[in-house]
Amino acid sequence: MKNKIIILLTVLTLAAKADEGMWMPQLIAALNISDMKKNGFKLTAEQIYSINKASMKDGVAIFGGGCTAEVISEKGLILTNHHCGYSSIAGLSSVANDYLKNGYWAMSSKEELYCKDLTVTFIKRIEDVTSKILENIKSGYSEIQRDSAVQSNVRLLEKKTKEEYGYDTFIRGFYYGNEYYLFVTETFRDVRLVGTPPESIGKFGGETDNWMWPRHNADFSMFRIYAGKDNKPADYSAENIPYKPIHSFPISLKGVEKGDFTMVYGFPGRTQEYLTSYAVDLIQNQQDPVRVELREKRLAIMDVDMKKNDTLRLMYANRYAGIANYYKKWSGEMTGLKKSNAIQTKQQFEKQFITLVSADPAKKEKYSNLLSQFKKVYEEYGPLSKQYDYFTEGLMGIDGMRMAAGFQLVFAELKKKREGKENKFDQRYKETRPIIPFKNFNKETDRKLCMAMLDVFVKNIEKSLRPVYLDSLITVYNGDTKALTDFLYNNSSFIDNTKAALMYNDFEKNAQLYERDPMYMLASAIVKHYQKAVIPQVNYYELQIAEMQKEYMKALRENVKDKKFYPDANGTLRVTFGKMADYKPRDGVEYSPYTTIDGLVEKNRTGLEDYYVKPRLLELYEKKDFGSYADKNGKLRIAFTGSNHTTGGNSGSPVLNAKGELIGTNFDRNWEGTMSDIMYNGSFCRNIVLDVRFTLWVIDKYAGAGYLLNEMKLVK
Ligand code: ARG
Ligand code: GLU
């Protein structure tokens, strides 16, 4: 027995690969620093995170909605990805000044462009508040009681600490709510665009190369944080001055080689590393395939129309990119899970876990029951999740359906208004009513999307589970989804520029008529059906699963003693470390861990549209003027791969060497390794990094904005 347990422990330990883990910075001193040092790290834990002294954490920020940025000068200059700055750059662009297409470089601080609604947030300190959040939670609470008590404790403590500290705060659950941490934050609201390369460089390779290696895009853009005279956050004002940061990263020109220590400091969004085999089965065999299939159909339809002319291409380009991004991610994820036998690995782990705890019969029974409960809950949750995916990725993937459904609230407010009750009709109507002509909507493209989505819906969702009204229409049209679609698209006012313009002339007066519009009737019936019959049940099961995961997580941490458990990513500050590393995508193929500008030109010569670059880049390439940015062989490197465990949200994160100097900016992962959100595998999961030397070369030689380098600390 004893022997067996020893063997088991080694198996369980082996599951924790050296490079796996997204660690909380305030716990590095206790948990990871010796490991990091063994791997080559040269600094102290306090230089990574400290609340008393300046440390690296003061140079890492949440950029906009969900990216990371790093401070690279004493004057508040920050670096992030091009795809993270994208919406701000697009917002500043017009047909006459198209900064996406042409790039933009401020040649002095006066030319830096304020970005409306863009914020940058630093973390001042992190505190364990577990006992405060969980103190009055009784053990007899139901899942719902517990959840609402926790939520209310979180809100109260956030409010209290905000007053106490004079800073914003937020609290997040870790390890499925076994622990809670408070984040004290400072958010800057005056952030200005300093420079961006043209899309042909920043997004070189487009969808073709997205999630792929080898990679050749310089996915970066630069901004500057402005503050009031007191160096505190302030609303935009011409009087504001560049923010003086607590920490700014020195930039290394020495480069990085295979095997060198690398570390990523940023804000990873979401991972699910502690799921059971039942959950992985659902993701791999149902959720990912369904979502991929539905997105593939929509993308194919958009693609055909986008190729017809520029108007349609521009109309759908941004949305296409958004849909394509996770389409490709999920397809890589399910392929990777299958290829690495993830379900069997989890099953084996679960068996070993039960054996491990079996010395204590009470534990054995408890956790065996927990695992069978998981099985049962997933059996019930699976079919609901499928119905829900066919709604969100299918029916709601029809733009006309979504546009019409949005009017439900408008009609509801109008009803109140008619009844003389207090109402928000005017506001809702203004928010919901689209501008005519529709901006990013083409009726004929959408007609095709609708037919395709109705088709797959009918094929995959059995009659008894369909919204009744939709099903009755399908019966009326004898299952002919084309005829049904034509009926909707030929008669609805909500999706036709001319008819919509007329409708908005007398909307309130003739509202009763418009409430019987065929597209509106169908859309609102569908949404009501899901709101009533599916969404509450989905929520119910998700809450149950969360509670069970909480138990399971606790059990793992208590019983698997020699594994260090890191909490799943949840949009909070994390450190991950590894090396610059190559990988083998499949038998007989080995990838180099870095790319050079030679490869960019090689791709460009294929003539593929995604590999277009402006002539200026090719001219500079011919001159081979790489200055001090070339490696020791005279090659100008663009990107490299590392074994750092990252996910969405890590985009723009600083990638640092053993001395905490910036060597690159994180921007993607390899397609084969996208399963790392569920099961990290150190042998082939890689993060993709833009080599900072290429960033500097573009700024200096391509953009002629070399003056910016003067404010950076370059380590030669
Ligand atoms: N795959 C990267 C990420 O997840 C880059 C996305 C940029 N978007 C795109 N469709 N190319 O964010
Ligand atoms: N491109 C991703 C982002 O926007 C990073 C890639 C990943 O998911 O690791 O955060």
Side-chain angles (χ1 to χ4, degrees):
M1 188 68 213
K2 205 162 186 192
N3 251 342
K4 209 169 167 189
I5 288 183
I6 289 169
I7 294 169
L8 277 171
L9 283 177
T10 36
V11 174
L12 291 174
T13 322
L14 282 179
K17 296 265 164 44
D19 302 329
E20 178 175 358
M22 300 177 168
W23 306 97
M24 285 192 272
Q26 79 279 18
L27 300 180
I28 296 267
L31 287 179
N32 314 100
I33 192 69
S34 66
D35 249 10
M36 291 177 79
K37 293 221 154 149
K38 246 182 256 158
N39 282 281
F41 186 58
K42 296 277 187 297
L43 307 179
T44 63
E46 229 202 349
Q47 286 172 292
I48 298 176
Y49 176 90
S50 165
I51 47 175
N52 307 309
K53 291 188 196 152
S55 64
M56 287 184 205
K57 79 140 176 29
D58 302 305
V60 186
I62 302 174
F63 181 88
C67 278
T68 305
E70 55 274 16
V71 183
I72 53 166
S73 91
E74 293 299 316
K75 294 186 200 159
L77 193 62
I78 56 174
L79 185 60
T80 188
N81 289 152
H82 182 267
H83 79 261
C84 295
Y86 197 91
S87 60
S88 298
I89 300 164
L92 290 166
S93 299
S94 60
V95 179
N97 293 309
D98 190 339
Y99 304 141
L100 285 174
K101 200 164 159 197
N102 304 315
Y104 178 81
W105 288 93
M107 287 305 160
S108 70
S109 60
K110 279 192 207 71
E111 289 177 8
E112 294 174 357
L113 304 173
Y114 166 65
C115 303
K116 202 172 161 287
D117 297 330
L118 178 61
T119 58
V120 164
T121 299
F122 292 96
I123 305 296
K124 307 295 290 181
R125 62 193 292 154
I126 305 172
E127 276 172 35
D128 186 348
V129 292
T130 310
S131 58
K132 286 180 189 155
I133 297 300
L134 299 181
E135 73 190 346
N136 59 356
I137 309 292
K138 308 245 162 45
S139 57
Y141 277 5
S142 70
E143 285 102 12
I144 293 175
Q145 282 172 319
R146 188 180 181 283
D147 188 55
S148 77
V150 165
Q151 298 298 333
S152 106
N153 288 350
V154 163
R155 276 192 301 271
L156 282 175
L157 191 59
E158 280 175 344
K159 191 162 170 275
K160 189 165 158 255
T161 48
K162 187 175 169 172
E163 282 158 15
E164 209 170 288
Y165 288 118
Y167 282 108
D168 280 337
T169 60
F170 67 83
I171 294 169
R172 289 280 157 77
F174 288 72
Y175 300 108
Y176 288 94
N178 281 298
E179 292 178 10
Y180 286 85
Y181 286 84
L182 171 83
F183 294 80
V184 181
T185 63
E186 185 168 49
T187 298
F188 289 85
R189 309 183 289 276
D190 184 354
V191 183
R192 305 184 194 172
L193 175 67
V194 174
T196 172
E199 261 183 313
S200 58
I201 291 179
K203 216 187 157 183
F204 176 85
E207 296 315 316
T208 310
D209 280 10
N210 190 25
W211 296 112
M212 303 293 250
W213 183 255
R215 202 57 166 278
H216 297 87
N217 53 322
D219 196 343
F220 81 97
S221 54
M222 285 172 96
F223 294 79
R224 192 186 302 280
I225 305 170
Y226 279 78
K229 297 244 151 54
D230 54 0
N231 207 32
K232 291 271 165 211
D235 287 332
Y236 168 79
S237 153
E239 317 281 270
N240 285 349
I241 52 171
Y243 167 65
K244 176 142 188 19
I246 304 171
H247 180 83
S248 75
F249 288 98
I251 298 173
S252 170
L253 283 174
K254 285 180 291 193
V256 52
E257 299 300 333
K258 184 174 160 181
D260 285 354
F261 175 90
T262 57
M263 148 181 169
V264 180
Y265 209 164
F267 292 87
R270 182 166 189 245
T271 59
Q272 301 173 275
E273 309 286 346
Y274 307 105
L275 296 177
T276 59
S277 55
Y278 310 107
V280 176
D281 192 347
L282 178 69
I283 294 172
Q284 176 193 306
N285 294 319
Q286 180 187 302
Q287 288 180 335
D288 281 354
V290 163
R291 292 169 190 178
V292 164
E293 188 201 349
L294 290 169
R295 286 198 173 198
E296 190 162 75
K297 290 206 156 57
R298 286 158 70 199
L299 290 170
I301 289 167
M302 288 185 196
D303 189 50
V304 169
D305 280 16
M306 281 166 73
K307 289 210 170 98
K308 282 188 185 147
N309 60 56
D310 274 358
T311 317
L312 286 177
R313 188 173 56 80
L314 288 173
M315 229 178 207
Y316 282 97
N318 207 14
R319 203 128 35 93
Y320 186 93
I323 299 168
N325 193 34
Y326 262 61
Y327 156 72
K328 205 163 175 182
K329 194 233 145 171
W330 288 324
S331 90
E333 183 174 275
M334 66 195 213
T335 310
L337 289 171
K338 251 183 237 160
K339 193 176 148 189
S340 52
N341 294 320
I343 301 172
Q344 289 87 330
T345 310
K346 287 273 184 189
Q347 281 169 345
Q348 230 178 359
F349 178 85
E350 285 151 18
K351 257 198 218 136
Q352 288 167 353
F353 176 69
I354 295 299
T355 320
L356 179 72
V357 297
S358 62
D360 178 344
K363 270 190 186 173
K364 184 179 177 190
E365 194 191 326
K366 182 174 170 195
Y367 297 134
S368 307
N369 286 343
L370 181 62
L371 284 166
S372 13
Q373 204 191 338
F374 265 117
K375 180 170 189 283
K376 182 169 162 281
V377 167
Y378 273 102
E379 270 163 14
E380 290 164 20
Y381 174 64
L384 278 165
S385 161
K386 178 175 158 190
Q387 284 186 63
Y388 190 57
D389 280 344
Y390 273 94
F391 171 61
T392 53
E393 292 286 335
L395 297 177
M396 287 297 125
I398 306 163
D399 291 328
M401 192 73 78
R402 255 199 343 268
M403 277 156 61
F407 274 84
Q408 244 184 347
L409 290 173
V410 176
F411 284 116
E413 292 301 321
L414 185 58
K415 184 161 175 270
K416 287 189 211 158
K417 186 174 177 181
R418 288 248 157 89
E419 290 165 356
K421 291 185 189 146
E422 202 184 310
N423 66 84
K424 290 199 183 110
F425 169 73
D426 293 329
Q427 186 198 330
R428 284 264 184 264
Y429 179 61
K430 224 172 87 196
E431 284 166 4
T432 313
R433 188 198 138 153
I435 293 165
I436 310 286
F438 302 126
K439 205 165 151 235
N440 291 325
F441 174 85
N442 176 47
K443 185 174 163 183
E444 292 316 311
T445 308
D446 207 53
R447 187 193 294 260
K448 286 181 249 174
L449 284 172
C450 180
M451 199 183 103
M453 290 302 103
L454 289 180
D455 249 358
V456 271
F457 188 82
V458 171
K459 271 197 200 97
N460 292 286
I461 299 294
E462 63 180 276
K463 208 172 155 60
S464 67
L465 297 175
R466 296 176 200 156
V468 176
Y469 185 65
L470 172 59
D471 192 55
S472 67
L473 283 179
I474 287 168
T475 312
V476 169
Y477 283 91
N478 257 325
D480 182 348
T481 47
K482 178 171 186 324
L484 169 55
T485 302
D486 283 338
F487 163 68
L488 298 169
Y489 283 72
N490 295 343
N491 293 295
S492 172
S493 298
F494 284 82
I495 47 175
D496 179 281
N497 276 314
T498 318
K499 288 181 192 155
L502 290 173
M503 171 166 75
Y504 296 133
N505 277 337
D506 64 357
F507 184 80
E508 201 179 332
K509 199 169 122 229
N510 285 319
Q512 269 157 333
L513 187 74
Y514 299 128
E515 220 174 340
R516 292 200 302 272
D517 179 281
M519 188 57 130
Y520 175 73
M521 277 176 70
L522 178 58
S524 65
I526 287 173
V527 171
K528 275 190 196 123
H529 167 84
Y530 278 91
Q531 278 167 345
K532 211 170 134 229
V534 182
I535 297 171
Q537 295 186 58
V538 167
N539 290 343
Y540 169 77
Y541 280 102
E542 283 180 352
L543 195 59
Q544 283 224 328
I545 290 170
E547 279 298 313
M548 287 156 59
Q549 281 285 160
K550 177 172 169 276
E551 274 306 303
Y552 186 51
M553 189 78 239
K554 189 161 165 256
L556 292 176
R557 292 174 82 202
E558 278 171 8
N559 295 289
V560 187
K561 285 281 185 231
D562 62 340
K563 179 174 153 74
K564 277 185 255 173
F565 288 94
Y566 57 95
D568 270 317
N570 59 356
T572 62
L573 189 58
R574 302 296 176 91
V575 168
T576 161
F577 59 95
K579 318 177 201 24
M580 175 170 172
D582 53 8
Y583 75 104
K584 296 179 185 173
R586 46 191 182 275
D587 184 40
V589 182
E590 238 173 284
Y591 283 149
S592 151
Y594 67 85
T595 58
T596 70
I597 193 167
D598 299 330
L600 179 147
V601 173
E602 213 171 81
K603 279 180 176 170
N604 172 260
R605 287 186 182 145
T606 62
L608 257 172
E609 202 186 324
D610 276 344
Y611 296 140
Y612 166 82
V613 287
K614 291 176 190 278
R616 176 168 173 75
L617 191 80
L618 298 172
E619 283 158 25
L620 285 170
Y621 174 72
E622 288 312 326
K623 280 197 217 144
K624 299 273 185 308
D625 178 11
F626 303 149
S628 52
Y629 310 114
D631 69 9
K632 53 184 185 292
N633 302 317
K635 298 278 182 195
L636 184 60
R637 298 202 189 172
I638 297 184
F640 65 89
T641 46
S643 60
N644 303 280
H645 188 182
T646 56
T647 188
N650 269 125
S651 273
S653 299
V655 182
L656 308 161
N657 64 16
K659 293 183 191 156
E661 299 157 350
L662 191 74
I663 49 174
T665 310
N666 193 74
F667 73 96
D668 214 353
R669 269 178 294 163
N670 63 329
W671 187 80
E672 298 86 357
T674 47
M675 59 175 275
S676 65
D677 289 343
I678 291 157
M679 194 185 263
Y680 181 86
N681 185 320
S683 63
F684 62 86
C685 291
R686 295 290 175 261
N687 65 320
I688 302 180
V689 185
L690 171 62
D691 194 310
V692 75
R693 291 171 293 178
F694 194 68
T695 304
L696 297 178
W697 182 80
V698 170
I699 297 172
D700 185 3
K701 305 283 178 177
Y702 183 90
Y707 81 96
L708 285 167
L709 272 57
N710 297 333
E711 62 181 280
M712 303 174 193
K713 272 177 275 176
L714 302 179
V715 184
K716 298 206 170 124

